[in-house]
Amino acid sequence: MLMGLSQKIRITPFKKKTLKSDLQLRFLHRLERSLSSGYPLLDALETIKWDQSLVKEAEQMILMLKNGESIDKAFSRLGFHHSITSFLLFTRSSGNLSESLVKCKDMYQKRITYTKKFEQIIRYPIILLIIFSLLLFFLNRTILPSFENMFHTNPETNTSIHLSMEIIAFMNHFTLVIFALVVGTVIFWLHKKKSIPIEKRIIIYQSIPIYKSYLRMQTSFLFATHLSSLLKTGMSLKDIFNALENQENLPIISHYAKHVNKNLGTGVHLTNVIKQIPLLDKQLTIIFQKNTNTFNLEKDLSIYAELLLEEIHQKILKIFTYIQPIFFIILATFIIFIYLSLMWPMFQLMNTI
């Protein structure tokens, strides 16, 4: 429909920026609701302009679509999150934009929920951790040196104070080094990630225990979702894997699709190829073994993707339940250490009297 628009409209260049998450979600919600009500795409975008906070984005998207841009590239240029644009990547082939919008809206809604919940969970522990770190620094710089001067005549007590000061100094230096390493690693990864070959990136991902499990579920979910969506169009598996290989939004999926095409070209059965891919769940192998026709395969992949999304949701929430206890255990350790640092010299002095 969009490709049939012969009139080209000049688009004023604009800088790509990241749209606020709440505006992204509202845009998706309003567009999906208008499409579900029977509006054509361009008319649905016109209805979004009724929301004053989305007028600029709706106008820019209308201009881009009339100029021949694909829906996923239009969303990308407007600064929508890559998880949204990756979901809309194959709407040109499947033609089911409304269904894709429902899926990516639900997924992005969960992402916002996770982010807010994580911020709520970690906010107070971090504040308390900073306060106790400052308290340890103050203890090491002022109180313990005063104790050292006070008890310099008692060698045993003085040794305990020295040990406490060394432990606190080590903890402060260790914390600073870890913080610097984390920040440096993140900055390096953000700048150099695209220059690292995808094969090496996958090896790095697989070496991170918790993230490896999450990435396997996420990759399996995206693989099953897009494969199911493209199977609905009647495309052959060969054409589907070619489409997955040629897209750029999902580099891991593209890499694995290339691996599948290469092995299928040598006569290896699809089930055996998928079984060899480390970041795809073994359940996918069972699904491909079970189904001999594309209709049943599409249905099973769709249901499996929904179950996998729910499993991802449950596991992320479970991880969140461990965050606060871990932080509070660290804080409790700090409190006990401060107490012992202050009271232990007193106890030693009392024993000598």
Side-chain angles (χ1 to χ4, degrees):
M1 179 183 71
L2 297 177
M3 299 301 294
L5 294 170
S6 58
Q7 183 181 7
K8 299 291 183 182
I9 299 174
R10 302 189 72 177
I11 302 176
T12 303
F14 61 93
K15 292 183 179 180
K16 182 179 176 180
K17 61 180 182 179
T18 302
L19 198 62
K20 291 183 179 179
S21 57
D22 59 332
L23 290 180
Q24 293 185 48
L25 188 61
R26 192 187 309 172
F27 191 99
L28 291 171
H29 176 70
R30 298 197 187 288
L31 181 58
E32 185 270 325
R33 186 170 60 182
S34 295
L35 290 172
S36 300
S37 298
Y39 284 93
L41 178 56
L42 294 180
D43 291 342
L45 289 169
E46 289 288 346
T47 65
I48 294 178
K49 291 164 62 176
W50 299 343
D51 187 334
Q52 294 300 313
S53 62
L54 297 173
V55 171
K56 182 179 178 181
E57 287 73 20
E59 287 179 344
Q60 289 175 340
M61 182 165 288
I62 290 171
L63 289 176
M64 284 187 283
L65 293 177
K66 286 184 176 180
N67 202 51
E69 288 274 16
S70 62
I71 188 71
D72 57 294
K73 288 184 179 179
F75 270 90
S76 178
R77 288 190 61 190
L78 284 176
F80 280 77
H81 194 267
H82 67 84
S83 64
I84 295 173
T85 58
S86 65
F87 251 94
L88 301 176
L89 184 62
F90 300 108
T91 53
R92 284 171 285 176
S93 301
S94 65
N96 199 339
L97 177 59
S98 182
E99 181 180 335
S100 297
L101 283 171
V102 170
K103 290 182 178 180
C104 69
K105 182 191 71 173
D106 291 344
M107 190 172 183
Y108 194 66
Q109 173 69 73
K110 285 185 171 64
R111 182 185 181 86
I112 294 175
T113 302
Y114 300 149
T115 303
K116 289 182 178 179
K117 188 172 182 64
F118 180 75
E119 290 173 352
Q120 292 172 355
I121 289 173
I122 206 171
R123 183 184 304 153
Y124 296 112
I126 286 181
I127 292 173
L128 291 174
L129 192 60
I130 292 172
I131 292 173
F132 278 103
S133 297
L134 293 174
L135 184 58
L136 283 176
F137 179 80
F138 177 76
L139 180 69
N140 195 43
R141 293 292 181 178
T142 59
I143 298 177
L144 289 179
S146 299
F147 274 29
E148 186 178 22
N149 294 330
M150 186 183 302
F151 301 124
H152 69 278
T153 57
N154 190 318
E156 187 177 351
T157 303
N158 216 19
T159 302
S160 299
I161 295 173
H162 269 300
L163 181 60
S164 297
M165 292 175 68
E166 290 177 2
I167 292 174
I168 292 174
F170 172 78
M171 291 171 64
N172 287 333
H173 293 148
F174 180 77
T175 302
L176 288 174
V177 169
I178 292 297
F179 178 78
L181 283 174
V182 170
V183 173
T185 302
V186 170
I187 293 174
F188 173 81
W189 183 254
L190 291 176
H191 282 81
K192 297 295 183 180
K193 180 175 69 171
K194 292 185 178 180
S195 63
I196 301 174
I198 186 62
E199 295 88 350
K200 291 185 178 180
R201 271 187 273 168
I202 291 175
I203 293 173
I204 293 173
Y205 294 148
Q206 288 182 282
S207 65
I208 307 173
I210 297 177
Y211 183 69
K212 177 181 69 173
S213 177
Y214 167 76
L215 187 62
R216 182 186 294 112
M217 290 189 293
Q218 183 192 50
T219 304
S220 300
F221 167 73
L222 293 172
F223 183 84
T225 298
H226 292 311
L227 198 60
S228 171
S229 176
L230 292 174
L231 281 170
K232 288 181 181 178
T233 66
M235 294 174 63
S236 66
L237 284 174
K238 180 178 176 59
D239 291 337
I240 289 173
F241 284 114
N242 284 333
L244 291 173
E245 178 182 349
N246 294 326
Q247 55 82 28
E248 299 177 352
N249 289 18
L250 303 169
I252 295 179
I253 298 294
S254 175
H255 171 70
Y256 284 152
K258 182 178 180 180
H259 175 74
V260 170
N261 279 330
K262 181 179 179 181
N263 281 272
L264 290 180
T266 60
V268 182
H269 194 273
L270 178 59
T271 304
N272 295 328
V273 179
I274 293 177
K275 188 185 298 184
Q276 298 169 0
I277 298 177
L279 289 182
L280 289 183
D281 192 81
K282 301 306 178 185
Q283 185 62 40
L284 284 169
T285 305
I286 298 173
I287 290 174
F288 277 95
Q289 285 177 337
K290 170 188 171 185
N291 295 287
T292 57
N293 63 77
T294 56
F295 175 77
N296 290 333
L297 179 60
E298 179 271 318
K299 184 172 64 174
D300 283 359
L301 286 173
S302 179
I303 294 174
Y304 170 71
E306 292 178 7
L307 294 175
L308 199 55
L309 183 60
E310 184 61 29
E311 184 180 355
I312 293 173
H313 174 69
Q314 295 297 331
K315 288 198 172 184
I316 290 177
L317 293 181
K318 185 177 180 180
I319 290 173
F320 284 168
T321 61
Y322 293 123
I323 293 176
Q324 278 195 344
I326 291 172
F327 268 96
F328 288 139
I329 289 172
I330 295 173
L331 293 176
T333 304
F334 279 7
I335 294 171
I336 294 171
F337 180 74
I338 291 172
Y339 177 79
L340 291 176
S341 297
L342 294 174
M343 299 305 296
W344 187 248
M346 298 291 188
F347 292 145
Q348 288 183 318
L349 182 62
M350 291 172 63
N351 290 332
T352 60
I353 296 175

